[in-house]
C-alpha cells in the first residue's frame, strides 16, 4: 500500500524533468537510489495510486480508533536488535 508514495514522488518532479529535457536534451543526473525510486514510481498507474492511498487511510483510521483511545498512548517499537557498538570493531 505504498504505491501512493512512489507515484507521488515520481510525478512531483514531472515539470523538473520536462524543463531539464527541454533545456539540455537529456535526462538530468540523479543518484542511483532516486533513479530506482523514479523507475518504480513511473510504473504505477493513477488508479493503483488512488487505491493504495485509500488502503492507507483505512489503516490509519483503524490504527487511530484502536490505539489512540487514551489521551497519551505509549508505543514501544523495536527497530533493531541492540547491543554494544565498539568504535574500533569493523561492522559485520
Amino acid at each position: 500500500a505504498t504505491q501512493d508514495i512512489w507515484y507521488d514522488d515520481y510525478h512531483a518532479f514531472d515539470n523538473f524533468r520536462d524543463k531539464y529535457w527541454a533545456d539540455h536534451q537529456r535526462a538530468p543526473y540523479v543518484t542511483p537510489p532516486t533513479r530506482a525510486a523514479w523507475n518504480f514510481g513511473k510504473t504505477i498507474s493513477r488508479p493503483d495510486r488512488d487505491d493504495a492511498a485509500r488502503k492507507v487511510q483505512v489503516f490509519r483510521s483503524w490504527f487511530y480508533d484502536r490505539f489512540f483511545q487514551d489521551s497519551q498512548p505509549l508505543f514501544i517499537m523495536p527497530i533493531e536488535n541492540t547491543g554494544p557498538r565498539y568504535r574500533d570493531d569493523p561492522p559485520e
Side-chain angles (χ1 to χ4, degrees):
T2 60
Q3 287 94 339
D4 58 329
I5 296 169
W6 296 102
Y7 178 95
D8 291 347
D9 180 59
Y10 175 73
H11 289 288
F13 292 92
D14 285 347
N15 291 339
F16 166 74
R17 285 190 300 273
D18 292 344
K19 183 169 179 0
Y20 194 94
W21 186 267
D23 292 346
H24 304 284
Q25 290 73 50
R26 64 182 176 90
Y29 171 80
V30 293
T31 62
T34 300
R35 187 176 327 113
W38 284 2
N39 284 339
F40 181 67
K42 69 183 174 184
T43 67
I44 300 166
S45 69
R46 181 63 192 222
D48 288 342
R49 180 258 181 237
D50 293 344
D51 185 50
R54 182 189 59 73
K55 288 176 182 177
V56 168
Q57 185 56 45
V58 167
F59 174 78
R60 182 178 291 136
S61 296
W62 170 82
F63 190 84
Y64 183 82
D65 292 343
R66 179 71 172 92
F67 296 105
F68 282 84
Q69 297 303 315
D70 188 10
S71 63
Q72 294 181 340
L74 172 66
F75 292 93
I76 299 173
M77 300 173 58
I79 304 298
E80 62 179 311
N81 294 330
T82 59
R85 291 186 180 159
Y86 300 105
R87 180 185 68 168
D88 296 330
D89 291 340
E92 295 177 7

